[in-house]
Structure formats: structure tokens, C-alpha cells
Amino acid sequence: MTSWLARKRESGFLLAIPTIAWLLILFVLPLVIVMIVSFMSRGRGGVAIMPFTIEHYQRSFGIFSIILWRSISLAALTTLVCLVIGYPLAFFISTRRNRLFQQVTLFLVILPFWTNFLIRTYAWRILLGDEGTINGFLLSLGVIDDPIQMLNTQFAVLVGLVYGFLPFMVLPIYASVERFNFRYVDAAHDLGANDLRTFLRVVLPLTLPGVLAGCALVFIPSVGAFVTPDLLGGTKGLMIGNLINNQFGGSGNMPLGSALSIVMMAVVMLSLVVYLLANRRDRGA
Amino acid sequence: MLTADQQLINEHAMSRNRFLRRLGIVGLWLNPVFSYFFLWAPILVLVLFSFNQSRSVASFSGFTLKWYSNILNNMMGAESAFSTELLLNAFRNSLFVGTVATAISTVLGTMIALSMARGKYKGKRLLDALLFFPVVIPEITQAISLAIFFKVVFDWFALMSGERIFPGFHTIVAAHVTFNISYVAIVVRARLADMDPQLEEAANDLGANPWQTFWRVTFPLILPGVISGALLAFTLSLDDFVITFFTSGVGTTTLPVFVYGLLKLTVTPEVNAISTIMMVLSTLFIGISLTIQGRAVPRA
């Protein structure tokens, strides 16, 4: 035993033990417990009791599949919109020749995100509400006669998610465009490629690592979003994060909530695997 | 020699190319205009309507500071969940949780970073995974797993000893440390990777024991990384809502959890005013902490 300890001390492993222990007890063990609870039955007050069952997973993919699908498709759409807005924006920022102007344009993307996520999301309630700023503006112009319902819809959730995660798309793409050597564009033009071809065959492949990283960084938190749909989505924009939240309370169902969060974790892990594979293929090519 | 037809086709292709390029340039300029409007409009509208005379957020009817004075004078109506005292209390709770969680996670994160950078043992890839997963796992999954874990442990404890433990500061701090460790470790490891290990060997050759080497050589050199890690941990801790929401108990409401309670209800000018104050404060805080680290933009 002493020799084992001495050997471990020699190797520097001992120094890592407190941290490993902390993470095993407060990160790994809780996840294992959630995994076990997700296979248990619902008792009085929503707690987990024996016997084991797969009922909650059946429900997750059964009646709750609409919400699961909605979460995945809203997250995918968020990623797409962020890419469409973020790619040209990142390109714009990184191609500014004036160093100061470039830093200002980058700073203007980052600065709003120094504010708490809750407050940034709340701001959209002011804009999108029936008696909100956008409706007020359109009504006063006479464009519409009745307010358009925007708050408490999936549209509001989409806008909120895009707003919440846009910098996660812009920053990695900015980093990869920064590294891009624009002489390749001249070379492609000299070799007879037009602008579109140059973009598709030269610019896009070389900035793809940034695009992939951006997509992963936007998609992953979007799937598990809880605050955005909670503040902006109402019942129509309910996402899986809200469904999980609803299972923890008076009339809740802890095993069901656990099963749903395991399913969500699986979706996130799957998208991470897709990202890693795409990244590896990209590097190999 | 090109025929007339070929020339015509060439010219056509070139003019189309020129048109597309012009379109691209216009697009490349329109996009930032739209994007910056999109990024800033909500914030400016929020600030604007915190100074609006009427309670409406549909149109601006005149400048006033009365909502701010209402907050200071605690006048938000009897039915309101708000009182200045509760707000300050929540803020104190946040600072307390943030400080304790930052202290613990900075020590633990630095320890594992040092061990992984200098240690000679197998299985570091496994440790990489252990540090990586808390960063990528959905917040709400981590939140409910901690909530269930604490419930199971406290239930078991009550069964064993007959005494009931309730969630509170200890559970929030434990949760915050758990998600902070990885960030501290990542930042400190980056710093260690930049450091020349020969400096430590030199100290060793000059007769310093490992303890002296650490405090006289390694620690001063990695200190900027440790400070960056600690500031990041503190910011994450102050900002966290979801995990705190699931692990806090009665009387241990942190600022984000308190603010959530206000924002969830309705849009009122007082809430806009509180949001504006918090926005200014958090921007100042992050600005100052980044200035301390000597750079304007956080490194990705």
C-alpha cells in the first residue's frame, strides 16, 4: 500500500485525486443516479419507486416525440439562421483593414453578451408582446389594424435562441477567416474560377473548421434551452427543457423527467459525434 | 482567335460575374447593418423604456426617472414580488456563493491542471474526458442530476440519522464548483503549456525541494492563468441561473434566480429599470475583470 502511494506520489497523480473525487461524486454519480431513476416507476408526489420499467422512454418517444422533434428542429433552424447571419458578419469583421475599426466591430458583437442571459431574453418580451414595441410601431404606422401575436410562439423562441447564441457562431468563424490567406482567392481567379466557384471550392472549405465549431456551439445549447422557451415560448413554444422542468414539482414525475433528460443528453452526444467525425474528415481531406 | 459567338458568351459570363460580385458586396454591407441592429435594438429598447413616462412599451411618451426612484424608495405596489431589500439580499447571496465556489474550484482546477501537465502516469485521456463532459452536457441535465442526487443523499441521511438537511448555500456552492472546475483547469493548462518546464528543472538542480520549486517558480509563472481562471469561474457563478434554480433552497435565492422571478411575471417599467441597472453593472464588472487580465476581448 505504501509503495503504491509512494509510486503515485512520484508520478504526480496524487495531486489530481481530490478533483477527480469531486467530479466522480458530484458529476458522474448524479448522472448514474439519473440513469437509474429514469428506469423506475412514478410514486406518490412524482418520486421514483420500484419496480423498474421502460415506460418513461416509451412516453418520451411516444406522446412527447412532438416536443422532442420540435426541440431538435428549432435547434437546427437556430443553427441555420445563425450561420446565414453569422458567416457574412464574421467575414465582414475579419476583412476590415483598419485594425481599430475591426476591433470595434468585433467588440459590438461581444458587448451585448456581457449582460445576463435572462435580461437579454426578457428584452424580447418588450419587443414582441401584443402591446409591445414592434406591434405599437406597426399599429401607429397603420400597417396593421390588430396586433400580431409574436410572443408565446415558436417564432419568438427561434428569435430568442438566435439572439442568445449568435456570437458562438460568429467568433469561431471569425477566427478561421482571420487565418485564411486571401492570396488563394487571387490564385483561383487567375486559374479561371468565377466568384461563386472560388467561394465554394476555396473559401468555404478552408473556413469549414470555424463553421463546424460554430454549428456545434449553437446547436448544443439550443437543444437543451430552458430559459428562452420559458420566457418567450408559452405553451406553443414548449421545448424539452421546459418539459423536464415541469417534471420537478408538485404534480411532476421525476422518473419521466430523468428519462427525458437522458434522451436529450443522447441527442447532444450524437451531435457531438457528428461534429467530431465531420471535423476529422475535414482535416483528413 | 475567338469567334463572335464565343466572345458574346464570354462577355455575358463576365457581366453576370460582375453583377454577382456587386450583389455580394452589397450583401456583405447589408448583413452587418442588419446584424448590429438585431444585436443592439433589444438592449436599446429596454434601456429606452426604463425612462418612459407611461407604463406602455409600445410608444415613448417622455423622459422620466421615476421608475428608478421607485426602486430606490421601494414603491412597486403591494402585489409586487420586488423589494429593494430582497434584491440586495439576493445580490449578497450571489457574491457569497460566487466567492466560495470560485475559491474551491480554482484550487481544485489548478491542482488537476498541474497534475496533468507535469505528472507521469497513464489514463490522461480519461481525465480529459472527465473535464470535457461537464462543459458540453446540457445545463438542465446537470441541474436535475444534481437536484436528484442531493434529494437521494438527504433522504438517505434522514433515514440514517433522523435529521433532515435542506438544500441551501452548500448545495449551490457544490453545484457551482462542479461546473467551474473544468473551466479553471482548461485556462490553467493553457498557461502551463506556454511555460518552459526547464525553469522547474533548473530550480531543482539548484537544490530547491518540490515545495519550494512550486511556490517560487511554478506558481508565480502560472499566476496570470490562475487569476484568469478564477475570474472566469466567478463570472460563470454570478451569471448561472438554471443549475442554481434547481439546487437552491428557501432563503438562498441568488440574483439571477430572483431576477427570473421578476421577469417571468409581466413587463413593467420598474423591471426594465432594474434590468438596465444590472446590465450596466455586469458590463462594468466584466470590463474591469478583462482589463485586469490586460486584454479587451476574451480569448476563445
Side-chain angles (χ1 to χ4, degrees), chain B residues 216-276:
Chain B
R216 296 278 183 85
V217 179
T218 317
F219 187 70
L221 284 170
I222 61 165
L223 189 61
V226 176
I227 292 175
S228 296
L231 283 170
L232 180 62
F234 192 64
T235 314
L236 289 171
S237 186
L238 277 194
D239 224 34
D240 178 73
F241 164 68
V242 176
I243 291 170
T244 314
F245 186 60
F246 279 90
T247 50
S248 63
V250 184
T252 52
T253 309
T254 61
L255 196 56
V257 175
F258 178 75
V259 168
Y260 171 78
L262 293 179
L263 302 185
K264 184 106 171 90
L265 300 169
T266 47
V267 173
T268 70
E270 285 95 346
V271 174
N272 299 347
I274 296 168
S275 303
T276 303

Side-chain angles (χ1 to χ4, degrees), chain B residues 125-234:
Chain B
R125 291 187 71 122
L126 215 62
L127 293 189
D128 269 331
L130 189 66
L131 288 174
F132 177 66
F133 273 104
V135 178
V136 292
I137 199 169
E139 256 190 321
I140 192 144
T141 305
Q142 203 177 356
I144 67 136
S145 72
L146 282 163
I148 293 178
F149 170 73
F150 288 133
K151 189 177 149 37
V152 168
V153 170
F154 294 164
D155 281 352
W156 177 78
F157 187 79
L159 205 70
M160 289 291 145
S161 70
E163 270 180 72
R164 183 121 207 111
I165 311 172
F166 292 98
F169 285 127
H170 50 287
T171 49
I172 305 176
V173 167
H176 283 205
V177 171
T178 309
F179 70 69
N180 274 338
I181 285 176
S182 304
Y183 290 97
V184 175
I186 289 164
V187 173
V188 176
R189 275 177 77 186
R191 181 80 199 178
L192 275 164
D194 288 342
M195 193 186 132
D196 188 354
Q198 285 186 327
L199 292 169
E200 286 164 355
E201 286 163 25
N204 200 26
D205 291 345
L206 291 169
N209 63 34
W211 192 247
Q212 285 172 322
T213 306
F214 176 74
W215 286 111
R216 296 278 183 85
V217 179
T218 317
F219 187 70
L221 284 170
I222 61 165
L223 189 61
V226 176
I227 292 175
S228 296
L231 283 170
L232 180 62
F234 192 64

Side-chain angles (χ1 to χ4, degrees), chain A residues 142-240:
Chain A
V143 180
I144 50 169
D145 296 323
D146 296 302
I148 312 166
Q149 198 203 349
M150 287 179 286
L151 193 62
N152 298 332
T153 62
Q154 290 187 33
F155 170 74
V157 179
L158 178 68
V159 172
L161 289 175
V162 170
Y163 189 69
F165 301 128
L166 184 60
F168 294 163
M169 184 65 87
V170 175
L171 294 178
I173 297 179
Y174 161 79
S176 65
V177 179
E178 268 276 281
R179 278 196 295 271
F180 177 73
N181 188 344
F182 277 88
R183 283 188 192 161
Y184 291 137
V185 173
D186 297 335
H189 279 150
D190 289 348
L191 293 170
N194 63 22
D195 286 342
L196 183 68
R197 217 175 148 78
T198 306
F199 177 74
L200 290 178
R201 301 294 292 271
V202 179
V203 182
L204 193 60
L206 284 170
T207 52
L208 201 60
V211 172
L212 290 174
C215 288
L217 286 172
V218 171
F219 183 80
I220 288 171
S222 299
V223 172
F226 163 64
V227 169
T228 314
D230 193 50
L231 288 177
L232 303 176
T235 41
K236 279 192 226 160
L238 195 80
M239 284 174 75
I240 192 161

